[in-house]
Amino acid sequence: MRDLKIKTQLKKSYVFKVLLQGEIYEIEGNIFRLKINEAAPLRARYEVPDVLIKEPTTQKLSLSQKEGGVLVLTSVNEDYKLRVTANPFQVELQFKDETVLSMNSNGLLYFEHLQPPPSDRYSLWQEKFGSFLDIKAHGPSSVGMDISLHGFDHLYGIPQHTESLLLKNTSDGDAYRLYNLDIFGHKIHDKIGIYGSVPLLIAHKPDRTVGIFWLNSSETLVDINTKAVPEHISTESAADISKQRAVPLTDVRWMSESGIIDVFLLMGPTAFDIFRQFAQLTGTQALPPLFSLGYHQCRWNYEDEQDVKAVDAGFDEHDIPYDVIWLDIEHTDGKRYFTWDKKKFQNPKRMQELLRKKKRKLVVIVDPHIKADPMYTLYSQGKEKGYFVKDRNGKDFEGICWPGSSYYLDFTNPEVRKWYADQFAFKTYKGSTNILFVWNDMNEPSVFKGAELTMQKDAVHYNNWEHRELHNLYGFYQQMATAEGLIKRSSGKERPFVLTRSFFAGSQKYGAVWTGDNTAEWGYLKISIPMLLTISMAGISFCGADVGGFIGDPEPELLVRWYQAGAYQPFFRGHSNMKSKRREPWLFGEKNTQIIREAIRERYVLLPYLYTLFYRAHTEAEPVMRPLWIEFPEQLETFGVEDEYMLGNALLVYPVTDKEAKAVSVLLPGSKEVWYDFRKFKRMEDQGTLKIPVTLDNIPIFQRGGTVIPLKTAAGKSTEWMTNISYELRVALNTEACAVGELYLDDGHSFQYLHKKQFLYRKFTFHKNILSSSCTDESGQYRTTCVVERVIFLGLGQQPTSVTACSKGNEPTFILLHLVILILLHSYVYTWHI
């Protein structure tokens, strides 16, 4: 029975009986899907398109029992059973006879069916929000259901909120809201939705991780209620038959304004399985061009070409690496995107050529609103072609944004996306070159003077869908079109870089995101860590927070600490508001300049490891930045840790987020793990929570025993200057004196790694005093003249009589020039030349 369809009735107590149709699927890879829709709606209900990369491949569920209104369905591997009760409708998902989760066990399934218009239009069909009137053209159509997680009380995910890593019980407060909004200076510890939404919730306990993906793009609320319930303990003794224990049960109630119920149950059983399952549905992180992993310098706004030139020169003068300078809205001709201010940027191509000679890039802002000006080509063409979102009366929707009166492109229309992508062609976008990349901002969409500063829900999109149905997809679609435009302008050869503020499930396929308009305060530095971890777990590895805080003026210590944190996070950009004082890295005194310089240099030295992590995210859906519990899933003490994190599987990072901190409490997890101070090469003698002294010079970083980290031996002026800088391998041994790690490299900018197998993917293994290098993927054809110049061993314990270095497969790829062996239990260094 490949696609089992179950029909049941939802009886509304006041008038109607409505037949709903439920469909239950098993999808290959340990995923189950439940869809509920009206069997015969008055018109089609909205089903989210374009987020799933393909229609999932279903597997045959077998019917193992049918009696008394109960169906029992068995999965292909027979490990899972779905127990479906018809009246009342419930679904219980069991793994080897143990209930993992259940749906509608609290009877909270609801489905507002579409109805003919009432004679009284002033009914539930319209709603007031302040002075704004929202008319529901097809009536109220909300949907919802409860899903109970058995044995789970640690929940994560559903970004984006300025909240803690662990999701909180909402039974006595506000629900988590998923509704993309432009909230300037958002509050800390608030469950209101901000710029992006990914309706993926992850639940974890020591022996299992599961995920719930609620595929709905309308405004959604998520209520969470965790409680303890008794569980009977079976014993052989008749006298002990009444023994019980308390176990957690978490009820998660999903409520969406419109659409259908379309929920995917990701059954893991590990966190890494969840990430792969979600990527199987929505895609993996796009492999970024290497330059975008360097440091980005941004401000609202760099004033003119001379300002850009001076800032660029400042980095060289102060010997600070950077890759990209950014231009905000003031670079345009009167907020007309795809244009240049004729006085301030008279020769943008020459400006870009000067940057190109420095091997650097430019990013410009391109927002979705279009200035109402008949002489502006984008406006006149969009108007003529009917490419703008409409209001409920069929006229082009008009809102106020940066240019004043503005109209909003309907990116849900494939024809509009194609036309928009064509605007990035070099012949169309005058003054652009192939070192120009793009920043999509204000794409929630932001509408000044609108209800909640966004588009009215009764605005109308392509195929007559109301905005309420797809609100959370608007930014997703703009980033999609922008990325496609950058790919098209290079005839499909070059990887794009697109940063977006608004996002949805699947946005990882198109580029990077950031946390939005944060504030230059210590609390925002602290909350950025759980925010980025949550976004990372939702499939979007390429994420970051504005270093220094966008709003206000950071004190020097805060700015230093933010640079130190940002250097070890996926997207690394300094940014500030036009009302903020200038804050280029060299403006805070020589001592602070020196510390910031060192933090940025550490980032550049780390790039081989970071780029390898991004390749793993691209191919295996592994988050680049991850909470401790993902690497240590059985250790309860890691489940709520949000002030430190793992960068890949090898580095533990503890940003200092308190003012004038003299020491921090760092958890080094794992009783059998070995940890090393990453800078001092010192083995940590203890595990558990340690008090680590800190100075302003740096933050605590630890390398995990059993890992090999590839580094560059020096930092360059930008990533492109570093192509031929030699490599260092940092080999940290575990208790068995073994270590393993990887290095991925390609040309750093093109799709040749994909189309022509132009990549190199090496595995380094140290075992029994033999360091070996082998091919992780034999299909790779990339050649490099770069060498491994140095290998540093951490934890050998005594001077070795010999160490053998060997290499296998796809040679010559690396030449080992010499090994520097650091013996941690002794005070000498042993050097061996090959």
Side-chain angles (χ1 to χ4, degrees):
M1 190 177 297
R2 183 170 291 274
D3 298 337
L4 183 73
K5 296 184 178 180
I6 305 159
K7 293 184 179 180
T8 186
Q9 287 187 333
L10 171 67
K11 296 181 180 180
K12 290 196 173 180
S13 59
Y14 45 95
V15 179
F16 298 103
K17 292 182 180 179
V18 178
L19 187 65
L20 301 179
Q21 180 168 287
E23 301 174 65
I24 296 177
Y25 311 85
E26 180 183 5
I27 297 169
E28 64 180 2
N30 246 17
I31 304 170
F32 296 88
R33 183 182 192 180
L34 171 65
K35 289 180 74 172
I36 300 176
N37 199 350
E38 292 184 59
L42 293 179
R43 66 187 297 272
R45 296 180 69 112
Y46 191 74
E47 299 188 38
V48 175
D50 301 315
V51 168
L52 301 181
I53 57 175
K54 62 180 180 179
E55 188 59 29
T57 303
T58 58
Q59 293 184 309
K60 187 177 181 180
L61 285 167
S62 59
L63 182 62
S64 56
Q65 183 181 335
K66 181 181 180 181
E67 59 179 74
V70 176
L71 299 178
V72 178
L73 312 169
T74 303
S75 65
V76 170
N77 62 12
E78 299 185 350
D79 285 340
Y80 291 93
K81 288 183 179 179
L82 286 157
R83 182 181 177 87
V84 184
T85 305
N87 190 17
F89 175 70
Q90 291 182 2
V91 179
E92 191 174 302
L93 182 51
Q94 300 176 336
F95 175 73
K96 295 183 176 178
D97 297 323
E98 179 184 344
T99 301
V100 179
L101 57 82
S102 54
M103 292 176 281
N104 200 39
S105 53
N106 293 314
L108 297 177
L109 168 66
Y110 69 97
F111 204 104
E112 286 191 290
H113 64 282
L114 302 179
Q115 304 174 47
S119 55
D120 177 14
R121 293 288 290 187
Y122 298 96
S123 62
L124 294 174
W125 285 54
Q126 64 181 39
E127 191 174 353
K128 272 202 163 188
F129 185 89
S131 61
F132 297 95
L133 180 64
D134 174 25
I135 296 180
K136 301 175 174 66
H138 308 288
S141 55
S142 61
V143 299
M145 187 169 63
D146 61 280
I147 301 176
S148 298
L149 296 156
H150 296 253
F152 296 91
D153 58 355
H154 293 88
L155 275 62
Y156 311 88
I158 56 171
Q160 186 187 21
H161 305 92
T162 48
E163 262 294 5
S164 57
L165 179 67
L166 274 170
L167 296 178
K168 297 175 180 176
N169 195 320
T170 63
S171 58
D172 57 353
D174 295 331
Y176 286 92
R177 189 186 190 198
L178 296 173
Y179 192 62
N180 297 354
L181 291 174
D182 176 3
I183 299 184
F184 183 78
H186 42 265
K187 295 178 182 177
I188 295 176
H189 295 300
D190 197 333
K191 297 179 182 65
I192 191 171
I194 50 176
Y195 310 99
S197 299
V198 182
L200 172 69
L201 182 143
I202 297 171
H204 177 69
K205 58 182 179 178
D207 60 347
R208 175 175 284 276
T209 312
V210 299
I212 301 169
F213 176 33
W214 179 268
L215 183 53
N216 192 298
S217 53
S218 68
E219 179 182 358
T220 296
L221 300 176
V222 184
D223 246 332
I224 298 170
N225 182 23
T226 300
K227 57 194 175 188
V229 296
E231 179 183 70
H232 291 282
I233 304 172
S234 57
T235 64
E236 295 181 3
S237 168
D240 293 338
I241 199 165
S242 62
K243 277 193 173 180
Q244 294 181 343
R245 64 178 179 184
V247 296
L249 175 70
T250 299
D251 297 322
V252 181
R253 186 182 185 187
W254 300 80
M255 298 162 279
S256 293
E257 182 177 2
S258 197
I260 68 166
I261 292 174
D262 191 1
V263 59
F264 295 83
L265 309 173
L266 315 180
M267 300 311 294
T270 71
F272 289 106
D273 290 326
I274 298 294
F275 303 141
R276 281 188 288 269
Q277 289 157 359
F278 188 61
Q280 178 184 328
L281 299 172
T282 66
T284 62
Q285 175 67 58
L287 182 62
L290 181 60
F291 80 81
S292 64
L293 300 186
Y295 174 64
H296 301 248
Q297 183 65 36
C298 186
R299 177 176 174 80
W300 179 22
N301 203 88
Y302 286 120
E303 296 297 327
D304 51 29
E305 291 177 10
Q306 194 57 40
D307 199 6
V308 170
K309 185 177 181 180
V311 171
D312 175 73
F315 278 90
D316 292 333
E317 181 184 341
H318 294 90
D319 199 19
I320 299 173
Y322 97 106
D323 264 78
V324 194
I325 192 163
W326 292 50
L327 294 178
D328 211 313
I329 55 177
E330 311 302 330
H331 84 278
T332 63
D333 178 11
K335 315 299 190 299
R336 297 168 181 87
Y337 304 107
F338 299 95
T339 70
W340 304 87
D341 185 294
K342 295 179 178 62
K343 292 182 179 179
K344 298 177 179 178
F345 295 91
Q346 296 180 17
N347 196 336
K349 279 194 174 181
R350 181 182 63 189
M351 176 182 68
Q352 289 168 73
E353 287 309 313
L354 291 173
L355 289 170
R356 185 195 306 278
K357 287 178 182 177
K358 299 282 198 75
K359 300 184 180 181
R360 289 170 179 147
K361 308 293 189 289
L362 177 71
V363 167
V364 298
I365 198 166
V366 183
D367 291 348
H369 49 263
I370 304 299
K371 181 181 178 73
D373 175 6
M375 303 303 293
Y376 176 29
T377 303
L378 253 71
Y379 172 79
S380 59
Q381 288 187 8
K383 184 86 171 171
E384 179 186 351
K385 295 174 182 291
Y387 283 171
F388 295 124
V389 178
K390 310 298 180 187
D391 65 19
R392 62 174 176 255
N393 298 315
K395 297 179 181 179
D396 289 341
F397 176 87
E398 182 180 8
I400 304 296
C401 209
W402 296 125
S405 177
S406 303
Y407 293 83
Y408 292 75
L409 290 168
D410 185 2
F411 293 106
T412 67
N413 184 341
E415 186 180 322
V416 175
R417 294 199 300 272
K418 181 181 182 301
W419 171 81
Y420 190 74
D422 290 340
Q423 305 309 307
F424 293 95
F426 298 123
K427 64 179 181 180
T428 305
Y429 189 176
K430 304 298 183 184
S432 68
T433 74
N434 64 358
I435 69 157
L436 179 149
F437 297 87
V438 181
W439 168 22
N440 292 152
D441 197 5
M442 312 297 286
N443 54 350
E444 293 73 29
S446 181
V447 181
F448 300 165
K449 300 182 180 178
E452 296 191 275
L453 295 183
T454 194
M455 187 173 285
Q456 288 182 215
K457 291 181 175 182
D458 55 12
V460 180
H461 289 264
Y462 174 65
N463 278 340
N464 209 34
W465 292 114
E466 285 188 292
H467 184 71
R468 77 182 75 255
E469 309 273 7
L470 51 84
H471 172 83
N472 289 340
L473 285 174
Y474 189 84
F476 166 91
Y477 275 125
Q478 189 198 10
Q479 190 188 24
M480 176 197 290
T482 303
E484 181 58 31
L486 296 186
I487 294 170
K488 285 175 72 174
R489 76 176 186 183
S490 71
S491 302
K493 296 177 182 178
E494 297 295 315
R495 287 177 242 166
F497 170 74
V498 185
L499 178 75
T500 182
R501 189 169 72 176
S502 180
F503 55 88
F504 192 69
S507 288
Q508 65 270 11
K509 299 188 291 290
Y510 307 114
V513 309
W514 92 106
T515 60
D517 296 346
N518 57 359
T519 300
E521 297 174 4
W522 287 94
Y524 285 84
L525 169 58
K526 188 184 293 285
I527 201 68
S528 68
I529 300 169
M531 289 179 73
L532 295 176
L533 290 171
T534 299
I535 293 170
S536 297
M537 286 190 289
I540 306 174
S541 269
F542 204 2
C543 59
D546 285 340
V547 169
F550 176 65
I551 302 164
D553 298 306
E555 58 192 282
E557 183 190 359
L558 173 59
L559 186 66
V560 165
R561 290 304 193 195
W562 218 317
Y563 269 103
Q564 292 169 337
Y568 286 86
Q569 291 167 354
F571 176 58
F572 186 25
R573 180 181 77 157
H575 187 31
S576 57
N577 187 294
M578 66 190 314
K579 295 181 180 179
S580 301
K581 297 174 184 177
R582 295 289 288 250
R583 64 166 87 138
E584 284 72 43
W586 52 87
L587 295 179
F588 295 82
E590 180 51 38
K591 174 63 175 174
N592 292 317
T593 299
Q594 179 183 342
I595 298 171
I596 293 171
R597 178 191 299 119
E598 185 57 33
I600 296 176
R601 282 180 175 174
E602 284 186 4
R603 166 64 165 229
Y604 278 77
V605 167
L606 192 67
L607 283 173
Y609 178 62
L610 197 57
Y611 196 52
T612 302
L613 293 181
F614 268 95
Y615 185 71
R616 296 287 301 180
H618 179 55
T619 56
E620 302 296 330
E622 297 174 0
V624 170
M625 179 180 176
R626 56 192 76 156
L628 263 60
W629 71 263
I630 289 174
E631 288 294 327
F632 305 95
E634 297 180 3
Q635 294 186 236
L636 202 62
E637 65 270 25
T638 67
F639 290 8
V641 173
E642 63 178 29
D643 52 1
E644 59 185 272
Y645 55 88
M646 298 295 295
L647 196 62
N649 73 327
L651 282 182
L652 186 150
V653 181
Y654 192 105
V656 177
T657 61
D658 290 315
K659 185 176 181 177
E660 299 178 354
K662 298 295 187 290
V664 292
S665 294
V666 180
L667 173 63
L668 296 181
S671 58
K672 297 181 180 179
E673 297 286 340
V674 179
W675 295 95
Y676 301 88
D677 186 304
F678 190 56
R679 296 187 186 89
K680 298 178 181 177
F681 306 151
K682 174 187 174 184
R683 177 170 174 165
M684 307 304 293
E685 296 303 324
D686 299 306
Q687 291 86 30
T689 301
L690 307 179
K691 191 172 184 179
I692 306 293
V694 294
T695 66
L696 189 60
D697 290 339
N698 53 49
I699 60 174
I701 310 286
F702 302 93
Q703 184 173 352
R704 186 181 186 180
T707 64
V708 179
I709 293 179
L711 306 168
K712 287 285 188 174
T713 54
K717 294 181 179 181
S718 71
T719 53
E720 214 173 310
W721 285 105
M722 295 176 63
T723 303
N724 294 318
I725 292 178
S726 58
Y727 290 92
E728 171 188 307
L729 299 181
R730 192 77 59 85
V731 182
L733 305 187
N734 59 16
T735 55
E736 297 174 354
C738 298
V740 64
E742 295 177 337
L743 172 65
Y744 172 85
L745 68 146
D746 55 27
D747 66 19
H749 61 87
S750 78
F751 285 107
Q752 290 293 303
Y753 78 94
L754 189 63
H755 303 317
K756 301 288 186 180
K757 299 296 181 183
Q758 289 295 306
F759 66 85
L760 179 69
Y761 196 13
R762 305 294 294 182
K763 181 178 182 180
F764 300 104
T765 304
F766 185 78
H767 182 61
K768 294 183 178 178
N769 269 11
I770 297 175
L771 175 65
S772 61
S773 169
S774 59
C775 264
T776 301
D777 187 336
E778 295 282 354
S779 68
Q781 302 297 316
Y782 191 68
R783 290 285 192 264
T784 178
T785 57
C786 202
V787 299
V788 174
E789 178 183 331
R790 186 164 64 233
V791 181
I792 296 179
F793 291 87
L794 311 182
L796 276 175
Q798 60 183 9
Q799 183 177 11
T801 54
S802 67
V803 176
T804 303
C806 65
S807 199
K808 305 172 185 175
N810 205 17
E811 298 304 334
T813 52
F814 286 98
I815 304 166
L816 292 175
L817 291 185
H818 63 274
L819 302 179
V820 179
I821 304 173
L822 188 63
I823 314 300
L824 294 178
L825 300 185
H826 298 267
S827 58
Y828 55 81
V829 174
Y830 177 84
T831 305
W832 176 39
H833 295 274
I834 298 178

